[in-house]
Amino acid sequence: MKMLTSNEWISRFLTTDPPRSKSLVMTIFGDAIAPHGARLWLGSLIELVAPMGATDRLVRTSVFRLVQEGWLVASREGRRSSYALLPEARPRFERANRRIYAPPGLDWDGRWTVVMAPNGSIAAPLRAAVRKELEWEGYAMLAPGLLAHPAADAPTLADILERVKGTGKIFVCSAAELPNSGSRPLGELVREGWDLSGVVADYRRFIAEFTPLLATLVEESELTNQDAFVVRSLLIHAYRRVQLHDPMLPLELLPQPWPGSEAYALAQAIYRLTWEKAEQHLMAVLGREDADAPAADAGFYDRFGGLR
């Protein structure tokens, strides 16, 4: 089979799986804009996403909705508009970035974080908000009012409870097997709490879609800066969609071989091959409307185990 060029791969991807504009804008802000001060002019955003099929009108609609939803804040200077990550939204972007760019396979100490809200102990809207936020973080609801995760991050949990105004109203504890009690192994709770078949299928689709692209990038020497930015953005957009449904359980509790490990290695390899030219394109676009656009911060270079 003839190997596609990177430009042909981009065209095919955008034809078969075109990204939704609002979600694409979120990806651009998280992957590209956050390390550069988290703010950009609308004209720059339109120029960045145009090669990915997002029209001027769709971009304007997307940023308007993201402002309404509390993700972005808008500013005006004369006839120009700029958009920045809302400070309150930055922790959520940072948590998402940790999921995307850090390797899978958390070490497990055998303990579970358990969150309890017995019937009648809290109001129904708070119960619904807690469940929604924690399930987004990968928790499983094992019973009404009982959620658990074997690799929970305590600061993230505290931030969520504060944001939904649940601090001091929810029971949170750490649980482990009681020795000599005849307990069923706690690791088997994974099969009870999570249906991972959809996540496995999504990772396999990601691998099938992006493996040919990696082969192309290894062989191709004339990748343009703009195409590098498009490839990097589409990569993270697709990988993020899969990751958002992955509960990020410790590797030893997952079925083996776990396709998330292969997907991460694939994303890492493509990102490392494209980031530098993508940054050159990004800085050129940002610089046309903002001569003082900052370079990427130090944390950017820690992504995927280090870019330098």
Side-chain angles (χ1 to χ4, degrees):
M1 180 182 293
K2 176 180 176 293
M3 182 181 293
L4 296 176
T5 67
S6 59
N7 195 261
E8 289 171 336
W9 184 94
I10 291 169
S11 296
R12 189 186 69 175
F13 185 91
L14 292 174
T15 300
T16 58
D17 190 18
R20 292 187 299 111
S21 296
K22 189 176 80 167
S23 183
L24 179 60
V25 169
M26 287 282 281
T27 296
I28 297 297
F29 265 94
D31 180 66
I33 305 307
H36 290 268
R39 174 183 177 273
L40 85 166
W41 294 100
L42 178 60
S44 297
L45 177 59
I46 290 171
E47 183 177 351
L48 288 171
V49 300
M52 291 173 265
T55 64
D56 183 316
R57 180 181 61 82
L58 287 173
V59 173
R60 292 176 186 276
T61 300
S62 297
V63 292
F64 175 76
R65 289 176 178 169
L66 291 170
V67 169
Q68 287 187 315
E69 294 170 8
W71 291 101
L72 302 179
V73 59
S75 302
R76 290 193 66 84
E77 185 176 303
R79 300 180 62 183
R80 297 196 305 166
S81 297
S82 67
Y83 292 86
L85 296 178
L86 196 68
E88 293 82 356
R90 288 196 184 194
R92 301 180 75 177
F93 274 92
E94 291 167 1
R95 290 203 302 274
N97 285 349
R98 286 197 296 271
R99 288 169 62 104
I100 292 168
Y101 305 111
L106 300 169
D107 292 329
W108 190 47
D109 62 3
R111 304 188 69 83
W112 288 66
T113 296
V114 180
V115 180
M116 296 175 286
N119 284 333
S121 64
I122 58 174
L126 176 57
R127 179 191 297 273
V130 169
R131 176 180 176 180
K132 177 182 177 182
E133 290 286 339
L134 292 187
E135 286 185 336
W136 189 86
E137 284 294 327
Y139 283 71
M141 191 171 77
L142 302 178
L146 178 66
L147 295 107
H149 196 285
D153 179 68
T156 296
L157 178 57
D159 176 67
I160 289 171
L161 293 181
E162 181 179 1
R163 189 169 65 251
V164 301
K165 298 181 172 55
T167 302
K169 301 176 183 178
I170 311 290
F171 297 102
V172 180
C173 65
S174 179
E177 291 176 25
L178 185 65
N180 305 316
S181 64
S183 170
R184 182 179 171 187
L186 275 180
E188 294 182 7
L189 267 177
V190 168
R191 293 198 295 270
E192 302 292 332
W194 289 269
D195 178 3
L196 298 173
S197 59
V199 177
V200 168
D202 287 344
Y203 273 131
R204 287 176 177 162
R205 278 192 292 271
F206 174 85
I207 292 166
E209 185 69 60
F210 282 86
T211 295
L213 173 62
L214 176 59
T216 292
L217 294 173
V218 169
E219 295 294 327
E220 191 173 273
S221 60
E222 299 302 321
L223 182 69
T224 68
N225 291 353
Q226 177 177 285
D227 281 353
F229 182 82
V230 171
V231 165
R232 187 181 109 180
S233 300
L234 293 178
L235 169 77
I236 295 303
H237 185 72
Y239 188 55
R240 181 174 72 94
R241 282 193 303 175
V242 180
Q243 279 242 311
L244 288 177
H245 296 96
D246 186 341
M248 304 300 287
L249 304 174
L251 195 58
E252 64 188 271
L253 300 182
L254 294 168
Q256 297 299 320
W258 178 242
S261 300
E262 183 180 352
Y264 175 84
L266 177 60
Q268 179 188 58
I270 294 174
Y271 203 90
R272 287 178 171 176
L273 287 170
T274 57
W275 75 266
E276 194 163 11
K277 286 188 173 182
E279 283 295 294
Q280 291 171 9
H281 175 68
L282 176 62
M283 289 302 297
V285 172
L286 296 181
R288 279 195 274 277
E289 289 205 88
D290 181 3
D292 298 320
D297 60 30
F300 171 80
Y301 299 97
D302 293 332
R303 291 177 173 182
F304 287 113
L307 300 178
R308 287 177 167 170

